[in-house]
Amino acid sequence: MLTRPGGGGPARLTDADGAADATVVTSLAVREDALAEGEVPVPEAVGALLADLDELETLSRFAAGSATGRAEAAAETARQLGRPDLEQRARLVRADLQRRRGAVAEAGRTASEVHRWATEARDRYLMARSSFVLTAVLQEVGDLAGALEHAVSSIDLLDETALPALRIDHLVRLADVLGLARDPAAPERYTAVLRLAEELGDVDRQLRILNNRAYTDTLAGRFDDALAHSDRLQELARAHGRPLAVGDLDTVARALMGADRLTEAEAALRLGLAPEVLEASSDGDAGADFLLTLAEVQRRRGEVDLAQDTLSECVRRCDLHGLTAIRVRARAEQAELHAAVGDHRAAYEEHKRYVAELVELQSAQREARARALQAVYETTEARRQSRRWRELSLRDPLTGLYNRRHVDEELPRLLAGGTDRLWVALLDLDHFKRVNDTCSHAVGDEVLRAVATLLQEIPAPGGGSFAARMGGEEFLLVLPGIDDEDAATHLERVRSAVAAHPWAGLTGGLPVTVSAGAASAAEVPDPTPAQLLGLADARLYRAKRAGRDRVVATG
């Protein structure tokens, strides 16, 4: 399963699970022992290894067991046989398994190493297979342009002697990248590869293609098409006695939700509540994401108590399995449930927790993408991309200002410089809850973005100043190289600019003002960031108590 950055929900593109039939898991290990004893002739051992690798590369997501052990055994056997090409094939199988289980950076590193080896050795098959894995890695870190390039290469380099199932897998991966990019060529690609799977009589791959096409149709807003393909998915599964996994049922429900057919969406999801279906979730999320979708459908149908029970079970699974991304999205759904029963204070508090945790999650995800991209590429362009993701991890996604992580890194560095000419100011929007409650959270977000723009547009004396969003409606200004008078003048200009901004178009009759508390490094002997921010926060509190819409910078 792929997860969209920023906690926007799961991408239910099903992938070859890398599972293997338990009855053959030990076969390669047995051959290794025989090989070590000299009981198996090398040509026969190579033939057996080739058969194992063919099977590992084309395993269906519907098979049982795990292929990890077989891939590791295959790599060891290839080393004993002196076949580095076959060892590289086994490494790619293992890398794709790692990628599916969340180790994207490690998978990318292995795939890029194999790709370099294959390029130097002019091994077209390995170049195709490594591009296949790199497509998925880049897709998961959001580099759809890079993913598309490798997806096309993985098909061009695969010659006509490749196994039909393998060719289908490569073509599906290209269709998936196009689908996620909302490219108009995606439907045609899915149609062509589905025809190949039908000709091959491969039901598992037909189900996977229909699921992925229905999902990408929902992304593109083609809900009629999504419904048509999710209907075919269900019909095919019934015809062959294949129970749909929770990921497939989630796709069906999402298509129905897009068409506002909520009763049918809930009925589809209820099929996944059977213990043998829910507990067998192969998406690595213990069914938590599926339950979150069900809770949303139940809430939208007015079944608030039932939705709360479902969401509580989702949260329990998130906490049990450390599913941070789903837990963050569950907070947004919890806020909606509070609002549905009229508890707007609880909804607001839960929304604040959601926003705070979402910011942290997005920063962590950007850091992870930077590491993954650096693992894949060792070029100047890759380093540039890595720096870009690093910079994004230090930015607040709503306002574009720096976030708390940047403050925690930069403020100690500035204080370590030993200058007393450093001011910090905490600014908080006055009565901001009224904006959210009266006008909506969407309007509140626009207000925050507008304030952030004002903070950046008003030039500060000196150099190196920056603004940051600390969370919620609280901002920070860091003003290095500035004296007391200039600091007071600048902060008053900021306060006046916010108060004088034409807010009526956004908030109607509600005013938007800020209170500020400021502190100088010169006021505290050997100040730490916590001491300086603490002093500014105390003065912010005084500004609030004194009537708001004012700056307190002394006393």
Side-chain angles (χ1 to χ4, degrees):
M1 183 186 76
L2 304 176
T3 303
R4 292 197 295 275
R12 289 291 184 181
L13 295 185
T14 56
D15 205 348
D17 184 63
D21 193 310
T23 60
V24 295
V25 166
T26 60
S27 63
L28 194 54
V30 170
R31 280 198 298 276
E32 277 183 16
D33 293 341
L35 183 64
E37 297 295 330
E39 298 174 8
V40 180
V42 168
E44 183 180 329
V46 170
L49 178 57
L50 284 167
D52 268 310
L53 289 170
D54 284 345
E55 185 178 351
L56 283 166
E57 289 172 339
T58 57
L59 282 171
S60 161
R61 64 185 282 265
F62 293 90
S66 170
T68 302
R70 289 182 66 192
E72 292 172 350
E76 178 58 32
T77 299
R79 280 191 289 271
Q80 292 184 29
L81 291 169
R83 289 294 302 267
D85 56 330
L86 301 185
E87 181 183 352
Q88 301 297 340
R89 282 180 64 180
R91 291 184 69 204
L92 280 176
V93 170
R94 189 170 184 276
D96 213 18
L97 291 169
Q98 290 172 324
R99 191 265 311 169
R100 292 167 195 148
R101 295 183 177 110
V104 180
E106 188 173 351
R109 183 177 297 107
T110 299
S112 61
E113 289 172 358
V114 174
H115 193 68
R116 283 194 295 272
W117 187 97
T119 302
E120 292 171 2
R122 299 184 181 180
D123 188 321
R124 288 176 58 89
Y125 182 80
L126 271 172
M127 290 168 66
R129 292 298 296 158
S130 54
S131 283
F132 175 77
V133 178
L134 285 168
T135 298
V137 169
L138 293 169
Q139 180 177 286
E140 294 204 16
V141 300
D143 184 0
L144 292 181
L148 181 58
E149 181 180 346
H150 276 287
V152 172
S153 293
S154 77
I155 294 167
D156 289 344
L157 291 165
L158 202 64
D159 63 38
E160 296 300 322
T161 62
L163 294 172
L166 204 66
R167 178 166 293 278
I168 288 171
D169 290 342
H170 284 231
L171 291 167
V172 171
R173 193 154 284 183
L174 172 60
D176 288 343
V177 174
L178 293 171
L180 289 175
R182 307 187 188 190
D183 190 298
E188 181 182 348
R189 288 285 182 173
Y190 277 124
T191 297
V193 73
L194 179 61
R195 188 178 304 115
L196 291 177
E198 290 170 342
E199 292 171 358
L200 189 62
D202 192 323
V203 175
D204 295 347
R205 283 177 170 79
Q206 291 174 54
L207 291 169
R208 173 155 55 94
I209 294 163
L210 288 168
N211 176 86
N212 293 8
R213 179 166 185 180
Y215 178 75
T216 55
D217 280 337
T218 63
L219 281 185
R222 297 189 296 265
F223 295 114
D224 289 342
D225 289 342
L227 284 169
H229 294 109
S230 66
D231 285 346
R232 288 184 66 184
L233 172 70
Q234 296 173 85
E235 292 167 4
L236 184 63
R238 280 194 297 269
H240 292 272
R242 301 287 178 86
L244 292 179
V246 293
D248 301 319
L249 294 170
D250 191 282
T251 298
V252 171
R254 288 286 169 188
L256 291 165
M257 289 167 67
D260 205 30
R261 290 161 56 178
L262 299 179
T263 301
E264 295 168 77
E266 183 174 8
L269 290 168
R270 284 197 168 279
L271 297 174
L273 292 177
E276 65 274 15
V277 179
L278 187 59
E279 303 308 325
S281 171
S282 63
D283 293 323
D285 64 9
D289 194 69
F290 170 84
L291 292 170
L292 182 56
T293 300
L294 177 58
E296 180 186 346
V297 172
Q298 291 168 333
R299 171 181 56 78
R300 289 175 58 181
R301 292 196 65 219
E303 301 169 333
V304 179
D305 290 341
L306 197 57
Q308 185 62 68
D309 290 342
T310 302
L311 185 62
S312 296
E313 176 59 18
C314 166
V315 169
R316 185 189 71 80
R317 291 172 183 243
C318 288
D319 293 341
L320 180 63
H321 298 282
L323 305 171
T324 305
I326 300 174
R327 181 67 182 92
V328 171
R329 290 169 47 230
R331 287 205 182 280
E333 182 59 32
Q334 184 63 71
E336 295 284 0
L337 282 171
H338 284 317
V341 297
D343 193 344
H344 296 293
R345 176 174 291 276
Y348 175 68
E349 293 301 323
E350 191 68 26
H351 181 76
K352 282 174 59 179
R353 286 190 285 270
Y354 161 69
V355 170
E357 291 183 13
L358 179 61
V359 169
E360 288 300 312
L361 174 64
Q362 289 173 330
S363 293
Q365 288 174 332
R366 286 169 182 146
E367 287 276 12
R369 288 177 196 137
R371 291 194 297 271
L373 280 173
Q374 194 61 45
V376 171
Y377 297 122
E378 296 296 336
T379 65
T380 302
E381 174 63 16
R383 287 191 289 273
R384 187 188 69 79
Q385 288 278 14
S386 183
R387 286 194 297 271
R388 183 173 70 87
W389 284 112
R390 170 65 179 164
E391 175 68 14
L392 286 174
S393 77
L394 301 175
R395 295 282 182 177
D396 170 55
L398 177 66
T399 64
L401 297 181
Y402 284 112
N403 58 21
R404 182 61 183 260
R405 177 176 294 188
H406 178 76
V407 174
D408 290 343
E409 291 182 3
E410 190 67 11
L411 193 52
R413 187 189 67 79
L414 291 172
L415 288 172
T419 178
D420 290 337
R421 290 164 54 82
L422 173 67
W423 280 80
V424 299
L426 285 169
L427 299 84
D428 191 84
L429 297 190
D430 299 323
H431 301 299
F432 185 64
K433 185 176 184 298
R434 287 192 307 193
V435 175
N436 280 328
D437 290 348
T438 305
C439 304
S440 79
H441 286 290
V443 170
D445 288 347
E446 289 300 321
V447 169
L448 292 171
R449 279 191 280 264
V451 171
T453 299
L454 290 172
L455 294 180
Q456 293 175 299
E457 287 180 345
I458 302 173
S465 64
F466 67 88
R469 183 182 177 206
M470 300 296 276
E473 62 268 29
E474 188 173 70
F475 297 87
L476 175 72
L477 284 176
V478 177
L479 308 169
I482 187 171
D483 61 30
D484 297 0
E485 184 177 351
D486 285 342
T489 300
H490 178 70
L491 293 173
E492 183 58 31
R493 287 181 64 200
V494 169
R495 183 205 65 77
S496 299
V498 173
H501 187 75
W503 295 109
L506 269 178
T507 64
L510 287 178
V512 177
T513 60
V514 295
S515 298
S520 167
E523 299 179 77
V524 184
D526 298 322
T528 65
Q531 289 172 321
L532 199 57
L533 292 172
L535 181 56
D537 190 53
R539 289 173 179 170
L540 170 61
Y541 181 68
R542 285 173 50 203
K544 293 283 190 182
R545 293 191 62 184
R548 296 182 169 84
D549 190 22
R550 66 194 61 222
V551 178
V552 174
T554 60

